Amino acid sequence: MPLKHSKTKKWINIIAVLFTLHVVSTIGLIYSQNYLMYGLDLSIVALFGVLVYKMLRVKDSYAVDLEQEILKHKETLLELEANRIKLQNIFDSIDVAIWSHNLETDKLLITSGIEKLYGYPMQAFYDDAELWKKVIHPDDDEIIQKRAQDIQSGIIATSEYRIMKPNGEIRWIHDRGIPFLNEKNELIDFNSILIDITERKRAEITIQHMAYYDELTGLPNRNGFMQTIEEQMKEADLKKNNLALLYLDLDRFNVLNDTLGHSFGDLLLQKVAELLKTTVNSKGKVFRRSGDEFLILIEFNDESEIKTIAEEIIQAFTKPFMLSGQEVFTTPSIGISTYPGNGSDSDTLLKRADSALYQAKERGRNTYQFFTEQRDEKMERRLNLEHGLRKALTNNEFFLVYQPLVQIDTKKIVGVEALLRWKKEDEGIISPAEFIPITEETGMIIPIGEWVLKNACLQGVKWHQNGFQDLLISVNISVRQLLEETFIERVESILSETSFPASSLELEITESTTMQNMNEALPVLTRLRAKGIRISVDDFGTGYSSLTYLRQLPVDTLKIDKLFVDDILTDLKAGAIVKTIIDMGHNLDFCVIAEGIESCKQIEFLLELGCLYGQGYHLYKPLHANDLEIHLQKNMVIN
């Protein structure tokens, strides 16, 4: 109100002047008795009255303004109080506390949020200003020491540490400390904002665990392995020590998994993980790489230590695993590489341990093998083929040839067997004996086998349209395909897509793998047979022949393995076995086919034994579809 004060002062000055004039004029009247002076005096009195009136108006106006100003101050105070209450409610509703300590006056200010964060009453912190430090987890003492150094230096310190609440619960705190120094660089005031970040930390730990640990077994995963091996190689360099990498793979796990089901396979992997941890114990660290592959890292001084551990692992697998009350046996193959002897980086060590593992499997499985340079080329070859197979379908590198099935006395064709061939882009024709086992081991046999079945049916349709309606198409099926949950549906779908009749399709299964998985294979084969598809048992006599199973199987054809046919002219036992298979097959009402016929004398011998059908290079080699059609026109049996 400075303006109103200055106006009041002005009016007071004017009144003082007029009052002085009035006094002078009054004195003048006393002595002079002048009418002019009377007039002047009356004028002054009138003016004086006006001025008094004006002053009273100004005074009333000033009082009103003052009252309004006081009212505004009250409203401001009420608004500030409401904001303070609102801010306090916010602090009380979230896990945030503010700590302010003036070191010069030793005045401490703490918000109520500290009770929620720490679980102690606020007064406890006023009573003991060091209480916040006393409840910090002992493992985080170094964090607090570093934080204290930063604060003393005037550096804003952001820290994350754990506290222990009175009920034993451990919580994570995010603490942002803001120091204030005087001109002498002495700490005079300190403020801290404390936030509970426990849930965020738990989420981070969960994400970290998912990234570095295997969910199924709880073992460190491939990422955890890569992190650990880098650290251990550095330690080995410092200690002048050696490091061994054991690459372990379960023998025929894919067959077990397909046979028992994936849930049993998962249970088996969990049991194997526990067994490996128990066996290796403190001697090393166990990791799960993927699938049924495990990695073990061990520091050692002498190679004999690694041999001992590898033998202990193999010995541990001699006992069965109990899975839901069922005994299951499996064995491990182990490849071993060493650092720095076999490589200076993790990728090389992995590659060479994998190469040694491949050699262990070649030696009969259930054994271990150290890496040797001589085996590296073979492993390189296998990896090269595996990589090529993954692209072969996309690049259209596969094709089919067809080997005729003939009536051997007339050499007339009654059917054909579809055989897969691979022309590798950068290499040419690859032997089936080399690449088919790789497709089985890697599981690529499933998409590749489906491709074979579909293309054989498409070709069969063309031959049927060209007049060879009686031609039977035979396709080899692996046990992995047979035990796929959707195999029957896929066969039905292919027959529907291609319009190939089920009665003209024969699926060949190998005796050994089918007998091993009889309980699972039998219902699948029965359903296929019920749809009119013929079933053939290939390589008969080389596996686990069982008359009981053979009686149960919905089989149309037995194919005598080439191994026996080769020696029927020179080995009496081989001839006797072939005769037994032929007689048994006929008695069970099977069609019997001899494989691998390579001479006229073998044909004569087989005809004497009553075998009417055969395959072999002496009869026909595998032919491309166009070449085969020429022979079909001349030699096709028309029923």
Side-chain angles (χ1 to χ4, degrees):
M1 300 289 295
L3 183 60
K4 287 184 173 56
H5 285 298
S6 62
K7 285 182 177 179
T8 303
K9 186 176 179 182
K10 180 179 73 175
W11 286 113
I12 291 171
N13 290 334
I14 294 171
I15 291 169
V17 170
L18 289 174
F19 183 74
T20 303
L21 289 172
H22 176 66
V23 171
V24 171
S25 65
T26 302
I27 294 170
L29 283 171
I30 294 171
Y31 289 101
S32 67
Q33 297 289 320
N34 191 320
Y35 289 105
L36 180 61
M37 292 301 292
Y38 276 118
L40 179 61
D41 184 48
L42 289 172
S43 299
I44 291 170
V45 170
L47 185 57
F48 182 77
V50 172
L51 292 173
V52 169
Y53 173 76
K54 287 279 189 180
M55 283 184 62
L56 291 174
R57 286 286 302 273
V58 170
K59 180 182 177 183
D60 290 341
S61 175
Y62 176 69
V64 170
D65 289 342
L66 183 59
E67 186 179 350
Q68 289 178 348
E69 189 171 351
I70 291 170
L71 184 60
K72 286 182 180 178
H73 278 298
K74 285 182 179 179
E75 290 175 351
T76 302
L77 286 173
L78 289 172
E79 188 176 347
L80 287 172
E81 180 62 17
N83 287 336
R84 186 192 68 77
I85 293 171
K86 188 184 293 184
L87 188 61
Q88 186 64 48
N89 289 336
I90 291 172
F91 282 134
D92 291 343
S93 64
I94 61 175
D95 296 340
V96 174
I98 295 177
W99 176 292
S100 181
H101 193 184
N102 187 317
L103 301 179
E104 289 184 320
T105 62
D106 198 27
K107 185 176 181 180
L108 185 63
L109 174 65
I110 310 170
T111 62
S112 59
I114 202 160
E115 294 184 347
K116 198 170 183 181
L117 260 65
Y118 283 78
Y120 290 88
M122 191 190 305
Q123 189 58 43
F125 293 93
Y126 283 110
D127 295 339
D128 183 0
E130 295 292 311
L131 178 59
W132 71 273
K133 191 184 295 184
K134 293 176 181 177
V135 299
I136 291 173
H137 197 287
D139 292 347
D140 293 340
D141 283 344
E142 288 185 12
I143 297 173
I144 301 306
Q145 291 172 11
K146 173 66 168 60
R147 181 176 177 277
Q149 292 172 2
D150 290 343
I151 294 297
Q152 288 293 334
S153 302
I155 301 171
I156 294 176
T158 302
S159 312
E160 293 181 358
Y161 52 80
R162 288 163 293 174
I163 62 166
M164 295 177 290
K165 298 180 79 169
N167 61 3
E169 183 185 6
I170 295 176
R171 307 291 292 181
W172 278 93
I173 299 295
H174 176 93
D175 186 345
R176 183 169 175 80
I178 306 168
F180 296 92
L181 306 183
N182 60 16
E183 308 80 36
K184 299 178 182 179
N185 285 329
E186 296 171 339
L187 183 64
I188 59 171
D189 200 295
F190 172 71
N191 297 308
S192 189
I193 302 171
L194 308 166
I195 305 172
D196 189 323
I197 58 167
T198 305
E199 298 309 316
R200 192 197 83 193
K201 274 292 182 181
R202 286 174 180 168
E204 288 176 358
I205 291 168
T206 300
I207 293 169
Q208 176 83 356
H209 192 275
M210 290 172 64
Y212 289 93
Y213 287 84
D214 175 53
E215 185 178 357
L216 179 66
T217 63
L219 293 174
N221 59 15
R222 182 182 174 87
N223 293 333
F225 166 76
M226 296 304 293
Q227 186 181 59
T228 304
I229 192 172
E230 295 296 334
E231 293 170 356
Q232 291 208 352
M233 285 192 295
K234 291 176 183 176
E235 287 182 18
D237 291 339
L238 292 172
K239 296 178 182 178
K240 304 296 182 185
N241 212 341
N242 298 303
L243 188 65
L245 171 58
L246 281 65
Y247 197 144
L248 183 147
D249 177 89
L250 300 181
D251 298 328
R252 305 189 188 283
F253 174 76
N254 290 330
V255 175
L256 278 172
N257 203 30
D258 293 339
T259 303
L260 299 174
H262 293 291
S263 58
F264 268 81
D266 288 346
L267 281 174
L268 178 59
L269 291 173
Q270 290 173 335
K271 294 286 187 182
V272 168
E274 291 172 10
L275 180 66
L276 291 175
K277 283 194 292 186
T278 303
T279 307
V280 175
N281 203 359
S282 59
K283 302 168 192 171
K285 296 180 180 178
V286 183
F287 307 81
R288 184 188 178 202
R289 186 170 189 262
S290 64
D292 62 323
E293 298 174 347
F294 295 85
L295 301 169
I296 303 168
L297 281 176
I298 299 170
E299 287 188 12
F300 71 97
N301 293 313
D302 190 88
E303 198 173 276
S304 60
E305 300 172 34
I306 305 304
K307 291 180 179 178
T308 300
I309 292 173
E311 288 165 2
E312 287 174 353
I313 291 172
I314 290 171
Q315 179 61 32
F317 277 80
T318 57
K319 297 178 182 178
F321 293 95
M322 293 299 298
L323 305 179
S324 301
Q326 181 177 343
E327 286 189 349
V328 175
F329 287 90
T330 188
T331 55
S333 294
I334 304 171
I336 305 170
S337 63
T338 59
Y339 174 82
N342 297 145
S344 59
D345 59 84
S346 56
D347 288 340
T348 303
L349 290 175
L350 265 172
K351 176 185 168 185
R352 294 188 167 178
D354 193 17
S355 175
L357 171 64
Y358 182 67
Q359 185 180 6
K361 286 186 176 292
E362 277 194 334
R363 291 181 59 190
R365 307 173 190 268
N366 194 27
T367 187
Y368 66 90
Q369 181 67 41
F370 282 86
F371 170 79
T372 57
E373 293 288 347
Q374 291 80 1
R375 297 301 307 168
D376 205 24
E377 289 182 12
K378 221 170 192 182
M379 186 59 190
E380 285 282 358
R381 172 63 175 168
R382 185 186 185 280
L383 290 174
N384 177 264
L385 290 178
E386 183 177 330
H387 181 69
L389 280 168
R390 295 188 186 280
K391 301 187 299 181
L393 271 178
T394 307
N395 294 347
N396 296 316
E397 295 175 11
F398 291 124
F399 64 95
L400 296 179
V401 293
Y402 301 87
Q403 185 166 30
L405 163 65
V406 302
Q407 189 172 316
I408 56 179
D409 56 339
T410 63
K411 292 189 179 182
K412 294 290 184 179
I413 299 172
V414 295
V416 295
E417 179 182 356
L419 300 172
L420 178 65
R421 295 294 183 262
W422 179 25
K423 187 175 182 180
K424 196 167 181 288
E425 184 179 27
D426 56 351
E427 193 173 338
I429 300 296
I430 307 296
S431 167
E434 191 175 14
F435 76 82
I436 293 294
I438 297 175
T439 66
E440 292 273 5
E441 291 173 20
T442 59
M444 286 187 283
I445 190 64
I446 293 172
I448 292 172
E450 188 173 314
W451 180 91
V452 172
L453 180 59
K454 184 174 183 178
N455 281 272
C457 289
L458 287 171
Q459 182 58 55
V461 169
K462 291 180 182 178
W463 280 327
H464 282 197
Q465 290 173 346
N466 290 344
F468 310 113
Q469 291 89 352
D470 295 326
L471 188 66
L472 182 71
I473 307 292
S474 182
V475 178
N476 292 283
I477 300 296
S478 78
V479 70
R480 292 200 67 173
Q481 289 176 270
L482 190 67
L483 298 181
E484 273 286 302
E485 292 182 2
T486 59
F487 178 67
I488 295 175
E489 288 75 10
R490 288 305 303 146
V491 173
E492 289 178 328
S493 175
I494 288 171
L495 291 175
S496 175
E497 287 175 30
T498 59
S499 300
F500 190 69
S503 58
S504 296
L505 175 64
E506 183 173 73
L507 299 180
E508 289 193 19
I509 56 174
T510 56
E511 177 195 14
S512 56
T513 54
T514 304
M515 294 302 180
Q516 285 179 33
N517 303 277
M518 178 58 67
N519 292 335
E520 292 75 26
L522 186 57
V524 178
L525 294 173
T526 302
R527 286 180 60 188
L528 290 169
R529 189 68 189 83
K531 295 179 184 300
I533 299 170
R534 294 173 61 86
I535 305 297
S536 169
V537 177
D538 197 12
D539 302 332
F540 188 78
T542 61
Y544 305 92
S545 303
S546 167
L547 293 179
T548 301
Y549 281 150
L550 198 58
R551 181 174 58 85
Q552 294 175 348
L553 281 172
V555 172
D556 299 282
T557 305
L558 293 182
K559 299 183 79 171
I560 305 171
D561 189 76
K562 181 180 184 299
L563 177 70
F564 300 110
V565 175
D566 283 344
D567 299 327
I568 56 175
L569 300 177
T570 57
D571 187 341
L572 293 177
K573 289 183 180 179
I577 290 172
V578 170
K579 184 179 187 309
T580 300
I581 294 173
I582 293 170
D583 291 342
M584 179 187 66
H586 288 163
N587 290 333
L588 292 173
D589 201 24
F590 296 152
C591 174
V592 180
I593 299 173
E595 293 185 293
I597 297 173
E598 295 182 352
S599 70
C600 289
K601 290 185 178 180
Q602 287 176 334
I603 291 176
E604 292 171 2
F605 188 87
L606 290 167
L607 287 173
E608 287 178 13
L609 298 178
C611 181
L612 302 178
Y613 301 99
Q615 285 178 287
Y617 276 33
H618 181 72
L619 300 167
Y620 291 98
K621 293 181 180 180
L623 300 167
H624 289 279
N626 294 336
D627 297 331
L628 178 60
E629 189 161 340
I630 297 171
H631 293 282
L632 290 177
Q633 291 169 356
K634 299 177 182 177
N635 300 315
M636 176 71 195
V637 173
I638 305 299
N639 294 325

